[in-house]
Amino acid sequence: MKNSYAVVTGASSGIGAEFARCLAKEGYPLILTARRRDRLEELESELKAQGTECHIITADLSQKEECYRLMEELSGRTIGVFINNAGFGDCGVFLETDVDKELDMIDVNVKAVHLLTKLVLRKMEKQDGGYLLNVASSAGLFPSGPYMATYYATKSYVASLTRAVATELKEIGSNVYIGALCPGPVDTEFNSVANVEFALPGITPEYCAAYAIKQMKRRKVIIVPTLTMKMATVGGRIIPLAASARITGHQQKKKLTKNS
């Protein structure tokens, strides 16, 4: 699929920007989208200076119409890789957190991911190939996440959807890949947007993106960087649900204390 484009949503910073850099090194021409045009233009200039073909599309994917507009702009191109990365989080007591921010989170983390997954997979199926990687979180592999309740729920949706669709594609013998990246803490702007300071040390976005692409090529469905998070997510599934919620909530509550 090297004669095709790689598309990255939420490409203006963090993991999204690093995915763009990694895929540029792989030789893909790029199409990058995010809300912040100035950030996209900076990254576009950087990549073009290195000889990469790069196009930017400013879009607010919380709006369904913008998702359709993005796909319309991609209609004439073959898409080899699609990184469904746009998303954000929030931390706090559910009774007190901002409901508008939470509903926006659901629009971006769930509705946009769902819609783009469906539209991109249909396009790739017609192409008879392609890689679609949904950026979820290790949060999506735990039963629940007190004090980040909405965020955990949105990422659980992404992980569940991805697993189910991967099974369907395998059963029909499709050449299209779908997977979900489920990292633990990553040192990006996510932390400030979500009002958190992680209790565990974070990995770099450079390592996260490079590891994800490597595992994507191996067609791994659920991708969890670092042994620590792999062990934590397994533990979260095998202990009783109530105990898992208490342990997870204890870790999240530390973030509230640090930011109070």
Side-chain angles (χ1 to χ4, degrees), residues 28 32 43 55-56 73 75 102 118 126-127 173 183 185 203 225 232 235 245 254:
Y28 285 97
L32 309 179
L43 184 57
H55 308 272
I56 63 172
E73 297 207 32
S75 62
E102 289 170 333
K118 185 176 288 286
K126 289 179 181 178
Q127 297 173 179
I203 60 175
K254 291 179 182 178

Side-chain angles (χ1 to χ4, degrees), residues 90 92-99 102 256:
D90 196 20
V93 179
F94 186 77
L95 287 172
E96 301 171 359
T97 45
D98 185 330
V99 68
E102 289 170 333
L256 298 182

